[in-house]
Amino acid sequence: MSELLVNFSVLMEKPTGISVYAKNLLPSLEPLNPILFAKNTTSGFTSQPIPAGLSPEFGIKGHLRRLWWIQCELSRRYHSTSNGLIFSPLPEAPLYSGCRYIVTAHDVIPLRFPQQFPSHLVSYFRHYVGRVMGQAEHILCNSTSTAQDIARFYQVPAHKLTPIALAYDEQTFRPSSGCVDNYFLYLGRQDTHKNLPRLITAFAQVAQRHSDIELWLAGPKDARYTPALVAQIQEFGLSQRIRFLDYVPYRQLPELLGEAIALTFPSLWEGFGLPVLEAMACGTPVITSNLSSLPEIVGNAGFLIDPYNTNEIAEAIENLARDSQLRQQLSAAGLARAQDFSWAKTGQRTAEVLQRFM
């Protein structure tokens, strides 16, 4: 059997997205006796320390340092074994080095909306990630939608793609015993494809008829986008009713989700959409897009809207603002739907694929 080298250089102190995914895979990877490359050692694993400053929280410098470390040091460590396999929870791996590897693809959103992203990021996805995909032994995808995008944008054959849905922490995200507060919640970054200007416009329509509701925007502020959102909110005269919460610590998310009237997540495209699943697991009704992976998560257990149609977003907010019975129905449906997802299933399926190539 091959020696499994697991590249966890992407792990962050404040976990989001890929870091949450990577950490939750660990219990299922342990039977494969991997060598874990991470900043901190992990009990139960053979660990190899890595340099500091490689994770996304260090910005573009951290990104470049990580790519250099992967290309040089991880490749060197691979070639010191007689028979190895690298697993990376994101599409980064040594190129043109003879390394066998499996990666996880999460989305290709910069290729779908190239005008909304810096040219260097679009180029990274088009060229570097494209070569990683082409040279990979196999590619795990976090949804069927992402698998279709990988096949379309990189011409990867279907037999090299395995969709494995993500999941949520069952011990953390559970129904709240508290009362529902008066706010609708958005949870995530403020990138253009997250569609916050249309969400704010839709909320402004409803706010004229419901003076007691608020919209809370939870997620890190971004100098590229936040000022325009603040200006839009001021133009609507809603500065007292639309709040910016900035980054919310992981352990505080269940209470924040559980007390919301609904999660409003009208993204134009998602690779998966963890906030939607975590909200359903808390019994919180969900308003989200009818595009990309989001219908795969929600099924019939939430409001699926056209994210380009502001009136549809507003109508969904209006319905949930005034109809407590509808909120209860969607809460129950979301809780039932969330039971289809678990990190144990995700991890087991991931380990099975890795073992096939070891």
Tab-separated table of all heavy atoms in Angstrom, residues 166-170 172-176 185 187 253-254 256-265 272-288 293-304 327-342:
chain	number	residue	atom	x	y	z
A	166	LEU	N	-20.440	17.748	1.199
A	166	LEU	CA	-19.931	18.146	2.502
A	166	LEU	C	-21.011	17.925	3.559
A	166	LEU	O	-22.071	17.367	3.271
A	166	LEU	CB	-19.483	19.608	2.471
A	166	LEU	CG	-18.491	19.996	1.375
A	166	LEU	CD1	-17.947	21.405	1.635
A	166	LEU	CD2	-17.354	19.007	1.254
A	167	ALA	N	-20.745	18.360	4.780
A	167	ALA	CA	-21.677	18.061	5.865
A	167	ALA	C	-21.583	19.166	6.919
A	167	ALA	O	-21.065	20.252	6.663
A	167	ALA	CB	-21.373	16.685	6.452
A	168	TYR	N	-22.074	18.880	8.116
A	168	TYR	CA	-22.049	19.859	9.198
A	168	TYR	C	-21.714	19.148	10.500
A	168	TYR	O	-21.835	17.916	10.615
A	168	TYR	CB	-23.404	20.564	9.323
A	168	TYR	CG	-24.535	19.656	9.773
A	168	TYR	CD1	-24.927	19.616	11.109
A	168	TYR	CD2	-25.184	18.818	8.876
A	168	TYR	CE1	-25.948	18.767	11.534
A	168	TYR	CE2	-26.209	17.976	9.285
A	168	TYR	CZ	-26.583	17.958	10.613
A	168	TYR	OH	-27.583	17.116	11.019
A	169	ASP	N	-21.285	19.902	11.480
A	169	ASP	CA	-20.923	19.371	12.789
A	169	ASP	C	-22.200	19.149	13.605
A	169	ASP	O	-22.822	20.097	14.074
A	169	ASP	CB	-19.990	20.365	13.487
A	169	ASP	CG	-19.519	19.878	14.847
A	169	ASP	OD1	-20.069	18.881	15.359
A	169	ASP	OD2	-18.604	20.508	15.412
A	170	GLU	N	-22.579	17.891	13.767
A	170	GLU	CA	-23.847	17.569	14.436
A	170	GLU	C	-23.851	17.945	15.910
A	170	GLU	O	-24.915	18.141	16.504
A	170	GLU	CB	-24.138	16.076	14.276
A	170	GLU	CG	-24.291	15.643	12.821
A	170	GLU	CD	-24.319	14.124	12.676
A	170	GLU	OE1	-24.498	13.428	13.697
A	170	GLU	OE2	-24.159	13.641	11.540
A	172	THR	N	-22.412	20.642	17.069
A	172	THR	CA	-22.427	22.104	17.163
A	172	THR	C	-23.718	22.699	16.622
A	172	THR	O	-24.341	23.550	17.265
A	172	THR	CB	-21.229	22.702	16.390
A	172	THR	OG1	-20.020	22.188	16.945
A	172	THR	CG2	-21.214	24.222	16.466
A	173	PHE	N	-24.137	22.250	15.445
A	173	PHE	CA	-25.320	22.828	14.795
A	173	PHE	C	-26.528	21.948	15.089
A	173	PHE	O	-26.684	20.860	14.545
A	173	PHE	CB	-25.075	22.975	13.297
A	173	PHE	CG	-23.979	23.938	12.983
A	173	PHE	CD1	-22.675	23.490	12.760
A	173	PHE	CD2	-24.220	25.304	12.937
A	173	PHE	CE1	-21.654	24.379	12.500
A	173	PHE	CE2	-23.198	26.202	12.672
A	173	PHE	CZ	-21.915	25.738	12.453
A	174	ARG	N	-27.383	22.453	15.960
A	174	ARG	CA	-28.593	21.735	16.364
A	174	ARG	C	-29.670	22.758	16.688
A	174	ARG	O	-29.363	23.943	16.874
A	174	ARG	CB	-28.305	20.848	17.575
A	174	ARG	CG	-27.670	21.577	18.756
A	174	ARG	CD	-27.465	20.642	19.936
A	174	ARG	NE	-26.520	19.585	19.625
A	174	ARG	CZ	-26.271	18.573	20.440
A	174	ARG	NH1	-26.929	18.493	21.599
A	174	ARG	NH2	-25.389	17.646	20.117
A	175	PRO	N	-30.921	22.340	16.764
A	175	PRO	CA	-32.003	23.303	17.013
A	175	PRO	C	-31.779	24.090	18.296
A	175	PRO	O	-31.341	23.550	19.310
A	175	PRO	CB	-33.247	22.415	17.107
A	175	PRO	CG	-32.903	21.205	16.319
A	175	PRO	CD	-31.438	20.983	16.526
A	176	SER	N	-32.056	25.374	18.223
A	176	SER	CA	-31.893	26.261	19.371
A	176	SER	C	-33.114	26.198	20.269
A	176	SER	O	-34.247	26.071	19.801
A	176	SER	CB	-31.682	27.701	18.888
A	176	SER	OG	-31.744	28.606	19.967
A	185	LEU	N	-30.867	36.777	8.394
A	185	LEU	CA	-29.420	36.664	8.492
A	185	LEU	C	-28.804	36.284	7.155
A	185	LEU	O	-29.309	35.393	6.459
A	185	LEU	CB	-29.051	35.602	9.532
A	185	LEU	CG	-27.556	35.291	9.721
A	185	LEU	CD1	-26.831	36.477	10.350
A	185	LEU	CD2	-27.375	34.036	10.581
A	187	LEU	N	-24.927	34.982	5.959
A	187	LEU	CA	-23.680	34.504	6.543
A	187	LEU	C	-22.703	34.173	5.421
A	187	LEU	O	-22.977	33.305	4.585
A	187	LEU	CB	-23.952	33.260	7.402
A	187	LEU	CG	-22.756	32.596	8.085
A	187	LEU	CD1	-22.047	33.573	9.025
A	187	LEU	CD2	-23.226	31.366	8.861
A	253	LEU	N	-21.950	30.556	15.962
A	253	LEU	CA	-22.828	30.468	14.792
A	253	LEU	C	-24.171	29.798	15.083
A	253	LEU	O	-25.206	30.262	14.597
A	253	LEU	CB	-22.103	29.741	13.655
A	253	LEU	CG	-20.956	30.499	13.002
A	253	LEU	CD1	-20.300	29.637	11.918
A	253	LEU	CD2	-21.450	31.806	12.393
A	254	PRO	N	-24.211	28.686	15.850
A	254	PRO	CA	-25.519	28.040	16.067
A	254	PRO	C	-26.554	28.964	16.699
A	254	PRO	O	-27.722	28.969	16.290
A	254	PRO	CB	-25.169	26.864	16.988
A	254	PRO	CG	-23.750	26.555	16.684
A	254	PRO	CD	-23.112	27.891	16.418
A	256	LEU	N	-26.566	32.284	16.595
A	256	LEU	CA	-26.894	33.322	15.612
A	256	LEU	C	-27.863	32.784	14.563
A	256	LEU	O	-28.839	33.450	14.188
A	256	LEU	CB	-25.608	33.808	14.952
A	256	LEU	CG	-25.735	34.955	13.953
A	256	LEU	CD1	-26.147	36.236	14.656
A	256	LEU	CD2	-24.408	35.156	13.206
A	257	LEU	N	-27.615	31.577	14.065
A	257	LEU	CA	-28.502	30.963	13.077
A	257	LEU	C	-29.842	30.601	13.695
A	257	LEU	O	-30.900	30.853	13.115
A	257	LEU	CB	-27.838	29.708	12.493
A	257	LEU	CG	-26.706	29.923	11.486
A	257	LEU	CD1	-25.917	28.642	11.283
A	257	LEU	CD2	-27.262	30.407	10.154
A	258	GLY	N	-29.794	29.999	14.879
A	258	GLY	CA	-31.003	29.467	15.487
A	258	GLY	C	-32.030	30.517	15.852
A	258	GLY	O	-33.233	30.225	15.899
A	259	GLU	N	-31.582	31.738	16.108
A	259	GLU	CA	-32.517	32.792	16.516
A	259	GLU	C	-32.959	33.671	15.355
A	259	GLU	O	-33.750	34.604	15.542
A	259	GLU	CB	-31.882	33.642	17.625
A	259	GLU	CG	-31.651	32.839	18.907
A	259	GLU	CD	-31.074	33.670	20.044
A	259	GLU	OE1	-30.878	34.900	19.833
A	259	GLU	OE2	-30.833	33.113	21.117
A	260	ALA	N	-32.466	33.397	14.150
A	260	ALA	CA	-32.861	34.194	12.978
A	260	ALA	C	-34.234	33.765	12.468
A	260	ALA	O	-34.615	32.589	12.578
A	260	ALA	CB	-31.824	34.023	11.870
A	261	ILE	N	-34.965	34.695	11.897
A	261	ILE	CA	-36.224	34.344	11.232
A	261	ILE	C	-35.926	33.382	10.091
A	261	ILE	O	-36.614	32.376	9.907
A	261	ILE	CB	-36.923	35.610	10.695
A	261	ILE	CG1	-37.301	36.540	11.846
A	261	ILE	CG2	-38.164	35.232	9.880
A	261	ILE	CD1	-37.811	37.907	11.379
A	262	ALA	N	-34.864	33.686	9.339
A	262	ALA	CA	-34.454	32.821	8.224
A	262	ALA	C	-33.041	33.201	7.815
A	262	ALA	O	-32.580	34.326	8.053
A	262	ALA	CB	-35.396	32.971	7.032
A	263	LEU	N	-32.346	32.261	7.203
A	263	LEU	CA	-31.091	32.555	6.522
A	263	LEU	C	-31.425	33.002	5.112
A	263	LEU	O	-32.167	32.314	4.389
A	263	LEU	CB	-30.201	31.323	6.470
A	263	LEU	CG	-28.873	31.521	5.710
A	263	LEU	CD1	-27.888	32.321	6.557
A	263	LEU	CD2	-28.259	30.183	5.296
A	264	THR	N	-30.893	34.146	4.702
A	264	THR	CA	-31.070	34.629	3.330
A	264	THR	C	-29.726	34.485	2.622
A	264	THR	O	-28.755	35.148	2.977
A	264	THR	CB	-31.518	36.101	3.326
A	264	THR	OG1	-30.645	36.866	4.170
A	264	THR	CG2	-32.937	36.226	3.856
A	265	PHE	N	-29.687	33.623	1.614
A	265	PHE	CA	-28.415	33.270	0.971
A	265	PHE	C	-28.634	33.205	-0.540
A	265	PHE	O	-28.597	32.136	-1.145
A	265	PHE	CB	-27.954	31.919	1.526
A	265	PHE	CG	-26.491	31.620	1.305
A	265	PHE	CD1	-25.525	32.190	2.118
A	265	PHE	CD2	-26.085	30.755	0.307
A	265	PHE	CE1	-24.172	31.905	1.931
A	265	PHE	CE2	-24.745	30.474	0.105
A	265	PHE	CZ	-23.782	31.042	0.923
A	272	PHE	N	-20.618	24.539	-2.864
A	272	PHE	CA	-21.484	23.752	-1.983
A	272	PHE	C	-22.457	24.680	-1.262
A	272	PHE	O	-23.608	24.757	-1.629
A	272	PHE	CB	-20.654	22.931	-0.983
A	272	PHE	CG	-21.517	22.015	-0.140
A	272	PHE	CD1	-22.031	20.842	-0.685
A	272	PHE	CD2	-21.827	22.335	1.169
A	272	PHE	CE1	-22.849	20.006	0.085
A	272	PHE	CE2	-22.638	21.503	1.938
A	272	PHE	CZ	-23.139	20.341	1.390
A	273	GLY	N	-21.999	25.404	-0.250
A	273	GLY	CA	-22.895	26.303	0.485
A	273	GLY	C	-23.125	25.833	1.909
A	273	GLY	O	-24.267	25.560	2.301
A	274	LEU	N	-22.051	25.732	2.700
A	274	LEU	CA	-22.157	25.243	4.080
A	274	LEU	C	-23.159	26.022	4.937
A	274	LEU	O	-23.889	25.409	5.713
A	274	LEU	CB	-20.779	25.267	4.751
A	274	LEU	CG	-19.865	24.067	4.526
A	274	LEU	CD1	-18.510	24.322	5.176
A	274	LEU	CD2	-20.483	22.795	5.089
A	275	PRO	N	-23.235	27.364	4.855
A	275	PRO	CA	-24.185	28.073	5.717
A	275	PRO	C	-25.626	27.602	5.549
A	275	PRO	O	-26.399	27.594	6.513
A	275	PRO	CB	-24.027	29.538	5.285
A	275	PRO	CG	-22.630	29.616	4.775
A	275	PRO	CD	-22.398	28.303	4.075
A	276	VAL	N	-25.994	27.202	4.339
A	276	VAL	CA	-27.367	26.732	4.095
A	276	VAL	C	-27.627	25.447	4.866
A	276	VAL	O	-28.659	25.301	5.543
A	276	VAL	CB	-27.589	26.527	2.582
A	276	VAL	CG1	-28.902	25.813	2.317
A	276	VAL	CG2	-27.563	27.869	1.865
A	277	LEU	N	-26.704	24.499	4.799
A	277	LEU	CA	-26.874	23.238	5.511
A	277	LEU	C	-26.838	23.450	7.023
A	277	LEU	O	-27.635	22.863	7.762
A	277	LEU	CB	-25.775	22.257	5.084
A	277	LEU	CG	-25.795	20.881	5.755
A	277	LEU	CD1	-27.130	20.183	5.571
A	277	LEU	CD2	-24.650	20.020	5.213
A	278	GLU	N	-25.926	24.296	7.487
A	278	GLU	CA	-25.819	24.547	8.928
A	278	GLU	C	-27.085	25.224	9.453
A	278	GLU	O	-27.533	24.936	10.579
A	278	GLU	CB	-24.581	25.394	9.207
A	278	GLU	CG	-23.291	24.615	8.954
A	278	GLU	CD	-22.041	25.471	8.902
A	278	GLU	OE1	-22.170	26.725	8.832
A	278	GLU	OE2	-20.928	24.911	8.908
A	279	ALA	N	-27.681	26.107	8.666
A	279	ALA	CA	-28.937	26.737	9.072
A	279	ALA	C	-30.053	25.710	9.193
A	279	ALA	O	-30.808	25.705	10.173
A	279	ALA	CB	-29.320	27.832	8.070
A	280	MET	N	-30.177	24.829	8.206
A	280	MET	CA	-31.221	23.799	8.260
A	280	MET	C	-31.028	22.908	9.470
A	280	MET	O	-31.997	22.499	10.127
A	280	MET	CB	-31.218	22.973	6.976
A	280	MET	CG	-31.627	23.751	5.746
A	280	MET	SD	-32.037	22.699	4.321
A	280	MET	CE	-30.524	21.794	4.106
A	281	ALA	N	-29.770	22.579	9.806
A	281	ALA	CA	-29.497	21.731	10.963
A	281	ALA	C	-29.893	22.416	12.269
A	281	ALA	O	-30.153	21.741	13.271
A	281	ALA	CB	-28.015	21.364	10.999
A	282	CYS	N	-29.949	23.756	12.259
A	282	CYS	CA	-30.389	24.514	13.435
A	282	CYS	C	-31.902	24.731	13.446
A	282	CYS	O	-32.429	25.391	14.351
A	282	CYS	CB	-29.684	25.864	13.485
A	282	CYS	SG	-27.913	25.765	13.825
A	283	GLY	N	-32.598	24.224	12.435
A	283	GLY	CA	-34.040	24.429	12.353
A	283	GLY	C	-34.412	25.804	11.843
A	283	GLY	O	-35.553	26.253	12.050
A	284	THR	N	-33.500	26.474	11.167
A	284	THR	CA	-33.747	27.820	10.644
A	284	THR	C	-34.213	27.735	9.193
A	284	THR	O	-33.539	27.106	8.367
A	284	THR	CB	-32.463	28.671	10.722
A	284	THR	OG1	-32.035	28.727	12.083
A	284	THR	CG2	-32.701	30.076	10.194
A	285	PRO	N	-35.342	28.339	8.847
A	285	PRO	CA	-35.782	28.356	7.444
A	285	PRO	C	-34.733	28.982	6.547
A	285	PRO	O	-33.966	29.849	6.984
A	285	PRO	CB	-37.062	29.199	7.482
A	285	PRO	CG	-37.543	29.101	8.890
A	285	PRO	CD	-36.310	29.008	9.735
A	286	VAL	N	-34.716	28.564	5.292
A	286	VAL	CA	-33.679	29.001	4.353
A	286	VAL	C	-34.314	29.588	3.095
A	286	VAL	O	-35.234	29.007	2.521
A	286	VAL	CB	-32.763	27.816	3.974
A	286	VAL	CG1	-31.893	28.158	2.778
A	286	VAL	CG2	-31.896	27.412	5.159
A	287	ILE	N	-33.805	30.758	2.706
A	287	ILE	CA	-34.090	31.348	1.395
A	287	ILE	C	-32.782	31.307	0.618
A	287	ILE	O	-31.789	31.916	1.036
A	287	ILE	CB	-34.561	32.812	1.528
A	287	ILE	CG1	-35.843	32.913	2.352
A	287	ILE	CG2	-34.767	33.426	0.147
A	287	ILE	CD1	-36.205	34.349	2.744
A	288	THR	N	-32.742	30.599	-0.484
A	288	THR	CA	-31.500	30.499	-1.229
A	288	THR	C	-31.767	30.332	-2.718
A	288	THR	O	-32.922	30.234	-3.153
A	288	THR	CB	-30.620	29.358	-0.683
A	288	THR	OG1	-29.294	29.494	-1.192
A	288	THR	CG2	-31.171	27.986	-1.070
A	293	SER	N	-25.092	24.348	-6.743
A	293	SER	CA	-25.225	23.217	-5.818
A	293	SER	C	-26.346	23.405	-4.805
A	293	SER	O	-26.719	22.447	-4.113
A	293	SER	CB	-23.920	23.051	-5.038
A	293	SER	OG	-23.655	24.239	-4.290
A	294	LEU	N	-26.884	24.609	-4.690
A	294	LEU	CA	-27.798	24.903	-3.584
A	294	LEU	C	-29.071	24.059	-3.609
A	294	LEU	O	-29.512	23.587	-2.547
A	294	LEU	CB	-28.095	26.402	-3.559
A	294	LEU	CG	-26.829	27.222	-3.250
A	294	LEU	CD1	-27.016	28.693	-3.592
A	294	LEU	CD2	-26.416	27.045	-1.800
A	295	PRO	N	-29.683	23.793	-4.772
A	295	PRO	CA	-30.830	22.869	-4.765
A	295	PRO	C	-30.452	21.449	-4.326
A	295	PRO	O	-31.296	20.728	-3.789
A	295	PRO	CB	-31.302	22.885	-6.228
A	295	PRO	CG	-30.837	24.193	-6.767
A	295	PRO	CD	-29.514	24.440	-6.090
A	296	GLU	N	-29.187	21.035	-4.546
A	296	GLU	CA	-28.741	19.722	-4.085
A	296	GLU	C	-28.814	19.629	-2.561
A	296	GLU	O	-29.096	18.567	-2.001
A	296	GLU	CB	-27.301	19.449	-4.512
A	296	GLU	CG	-27.078	19.338	-6.006
A	296	GLU	CD	-25.604	19.100	-6.328
A	296	GLU	OE1	-24.999	18.226	-5.667
A	296	GLU	OE2	-25.067	19.778	-7.223
A	297	ILE	N	-28.541	20.744	-1.892
A	297	ILE	CA	-28.570	20.762	-0.431
A	297	ILE	C	-30.001	20.872	0.081
A	297	ILE	O	-30.435	20.102	0.935
A	297	ILE	CB	-27.750	21.945	0.113
A	297	ILE	CG1	-26.315	21.886	-0.406
A	297	ILE	CG2	-27.765	21.957	1.633
A	297	ILE	CD1	-25.500	23.132	-0.082
A	298	VAL	N	-30.744	21.822	-0.453
A	298	VAL	CA	-32.049	22.182	0.119
A	298	VAL	C	-33.151	21.220	-0.285
A	298	VAL	O	-34.051	20.915	0.510
A	298	VAL	CB	-32.408	23.630	-0.294
A	298	VAL	CG1	-33.815	23.989	0.150
A	298	VAL	CG2	-31.392	24.607	0.295
A	299	GLY	N	-33.108	20.692	-1.515
A	299	GLY	CA	-34.220	19.882	-1.973
A	299	GLY	C	-35.505	20.690	-1.951
A	299	GLY	O	-35.562	21.824	-2.449
A	300	ASN	N	-36.531	20.141	-1.304
A	300	ASN	CA	-37.818	20.842	-1.170
A	300	ASN	C	-37.988	21.462	0.207
A	300	ASN	O	-39.117	21.788	0.609
A	300	ASN	CB	-38.973	19.870	-1.440
A	300	ASN	CG	-38.973	19.353	-2.865
A	300	ASN	OD1	-38.725	20.110	-3.808
A	300	ASN	ND2	-39.224	18.061	-3.039
A	301	ALA	N	-36.881	21.623	0.941
A	301	ALA	CA	-36.970	22.031	2.340
A	301	ALA	C	-36.717	23.513	2.559
A	301	ALA	O	-36.494	23.946	3.685
A	301	ALA	CB	-35.982	21.212	3.179
A	302	GLY	N	-36.753	24.323	1.494
A	302	GLY	CA	-36.537	25.752	1.655
A	302	GLY	C	-37.114	26.529	0.489
A	302	GLY	O	-37.678	25.954	-0.443
A	303	PHE	N	-36.995	27.857	0.566
A	303	PHE	CA	-37.407	28.736	-0.524
A	303	PHE	C	-36.282	28.795	-1.548
A	303	PHE	O	-35.206	29.318	-1.256
A	303	PHE	CB	-37.657	30.151	0.011
A	303	PHE	CG	-39.099	30.500	0.188
A	303	PHE	CD1	-39.634	30.694	1.452
A	303	PHE	CD2	-39.929	30.646	-0.915
A	303	PHE	CE1	-40.958	31.028	1.626
A	303	PHE	CE2	-41.263	30.984	-0.754
A	303	PHE	CZ	-41.778	31.168	0.516
A	304	LEU	N	-36.504	28.282	-2.737
A	304	LEU	CA	-35.537	28.407	-3.823
A	304	LEU	C	-35.993	29.538	-4.740
A	304	LEU	O	-37.089	29.484	-5.299
A	304	LEU	CB	-35.421	27.098	-4.602
A	304	LEU	CG	-34.760	25.930	-3.859
A	304	LEU	CD1	-34.832	24.656	-4.696
A	304	LEU	CD2	-33.315	26.254	-3.510
A	327	ARG	N	-42.940	29.276	8.601
A	327	ARG	CA	-41.612	29.150	9.209
A	327	ARG	C	-41.473	27.808	9.924
A	327	ARG	O	-40.436	27.145	9.820
A	327	ARG	CB	-41.359	30.296	10.190
A	327	ARG	CG	-41.249	31.662	9.527
A	327	ARG	CD	-40.550	32.669	10.424
A	327	ARG	NE	-41.250	32.897	11.680
A	327	ARG	CZ	-42.143	33.848	11.881
A	327	ARG	NH1	-42.476	34.666	10.870
A	327	ARG	NH2	-42.709	34.019	13.055
A	328	GLN	N	-42.505	27.405	10.622
A	328	GLN	CA	-42.464	26.119	11.333
A	328	GLN	C	-42.364	24.951	10.354
A	328	GLN	O	-41.627	23.991	10.596
A	328	GLN	CB	-43.709	25.975	12.215
A	328	GLN	CG	-43.736	26.934	13.399
A	328	GLN	CD	-45.054	26.895	14.153
A	328	GLN	OE1	-45.966	26.141	13.802
A	328	GLN	NE2	-45.173	27.713	15.189
A	329	GLN	N	-43.101	25.039	9.250
A	329	GLN	CA	-43.055	23.964	8.248
A	329	GLN	C	-41.654	23.837	7.638
A	329	GLN	O	-41.117	22.727	7.505
A	329	GLN	CB	-44.086	24.242	7.149
A	329	GLN	CG	-45.531	24.109	7.598
A	329	GLN	CD	-46.515	24.585	6.529
A	329	GLN	OE1	-46.121	25.115	5.485
A	329	GLN	NE2	-47.805	24.407	6.787
A	330	LEU	N	-41.053	24.971	7.270
A	330	LEU	CA	-39.722	24.935	6.675
A	330	LEU	C	-38.662	24.533	7.702
A	330	LEU	O	-37.676	23.877	7.352
A	330	LEU	CB	-39.373	26.291	6.072
A	330	LEU	CG	-40.150	26.683	4.818
A	330	LEU	CD1	-39.699	28.054	4.314
A	330	LEU	CD2	-39.972	25.646	3.709
A	331	SER	N	-38.866	24.915	8.949
A	331	SER	CA	-37.941	24.504	9.999
A	331	SER	C	-37.921	22.982	10.127
A	331	SER	O	-36.840	22.364	10.145
A	331	SER	CB	-38.344	25.135	11.336
A	331	SER	OG	-37.551	24.624	12.387
A	332	ALA	N	-39.086	22.366	10.179
A	332	ALA	CA	-39.175	20.902	10.299
A	332	ALA	C	-38.611	20.215	9.060
A	332	ALA	O	-37.889	19.212	9.163
A	332	ALA	CB	-40.626	20.489	10.526
A	333	ALA	N	-38.930	20.762	7.882
A	333	ALA	CA	-38.430	20.159	6.643
A	333	ALA	C	-36.914	20.264	6.552
A	333	ALA	O	-36.235	19.327	6.114
A	333	ALA	CB	-39.085	20.843	5.438
A	334	GLY	N	-36.363	21.401	6.980
A	334	GLY	CA	-34.919	21.584	6.948
A	334	GLY	C	-34.201	20.644	7.896
A	334	GLY	O	-33.152	20.082	7.559
A	335	LEU	N	-34.747	20.468	9.089
A	335	LEU	CA	-34.150	19.540	10.056
A	335	LEU	C	-34.112	18.124	9.499
A	335	LEU	O	-33.100	17.415	9.639
A	335	LEU	CB	-34.939	19.570	11.368
A	335	LEU	CG	-34.705	20.780	12.266
A	335	LEU	CD1	-35.741	20.822	13.388
A	335	LEU	CD2	-33.295	20.727	12.865
A	336	ALA	N	-35.197	17.718	8.868
A	336	ALA	CA	-35.249	16.364	8.290
A	336	ALA	C	-34.256	16.229	7.142
A	336	ALA	O	-33.554	15.219	7.023
A	336	ALA	CB	-36.666	16.059	7.817
A	337	ARG	N	-34.166	17.252	6.305
A	337	ARG	CA	-33.258	17.208	5.161
A	337	ARG	C	-31.797	17.155	5.622
A	337	ARG	O	-30.968	16.454	5.025
A	337	ARG	CB	-33.487	18.453	4.300
A	337	ARG	CG	-32.552	18.602	3.111
A	337	ARG	CD	-32.858	17.614	2.021
A	337	ARG	NE	-32.028	17.842	0.852
A	337	ARG	CZ	-32.029	17.064	-0.232
A	337	ARG	NH1	-32.827	16.019	-0.279
A	337	ARG	NH2	-31.246	17.339	-1.255
A	338	ALA	N	-31.465	17.891	6.672
A	338	ALA	CA	-30.085	17.944	7.153
A	338	ALA	C	-29.581	16.578	7.601
A	338	ALA	O	-28.360	16.327	7.574
A	338	ALA	CB	-29.968	18.953	8.293
A	339	GLN	N	-30.487	15.698	7.994
A	339	GLN	CA	-30.073	14.372	8.467
A	339	GLN	C	-29.439	13.532	7.358
A	339	GLN	O	-28.788	12.525	7.637
A	339	GLN	CB	-31.274	13.621	9.055
A	339	GLN	CG	-31.929	14.316	10.237
A	339	GLN	CD	-30.931	14.716	11.301
A	339	GLN	OE1	-30.184	13.882	11.808
A	339	GLN	NE2	-30.900	16.001	11.644
A	340	ASP	N	-29.629	13.939	6.105
A	340	ASP	CA	-29.023	13.206	4.985
A	340	ASP	C	-27.519	13.469	4.869
A	340	ASP	O	-26.839	12.788	4.101
A	340	ASP	CB	-29.692	13.603	3.657
A	340	ASP	CG	-31.143	13.156	3.581
A	340	ASP	OD1	-31.516	12.247	4.344
A	340	ASP	OD2	-31.891	13.720	2.764
A	341	PHE	N	-27.016	14.462	5.615
A	341	PHE	CA	-25.612	14.860	5.491
A	341	PHE	C	-24.892	14.606	6.813
A	341	PHE	O	-25.415	14.946	7.873
A	341	PHE	CB	-25.500	16.355	5.148
A	341	PHE	CG	-26.189	16.750	3.873
A	341	PHE	CD1	-27.550	17.004	3.848
A	341	PHE	CD2	-25.472	16.883	2.693
A	341	PHE	CE1	-28.196	17.379	2.678
A	341	PHE	CE2	-26.105	17.257	1.511
A	341	PHE	CZ	-27.461	17.500	1.504
A	342	SER	N	-23.712	14.034	6.752
A	342	SER	CA	-22.886	13.885	7.957
A	342	SER	C	-21.426	13.806	7.555
A	342	SER	O	-21.087	13.289	6.488
A	342	SER	CB	-23.288	12.639	8.745
A	342	SER	OG	-22.772	11.468	8.146
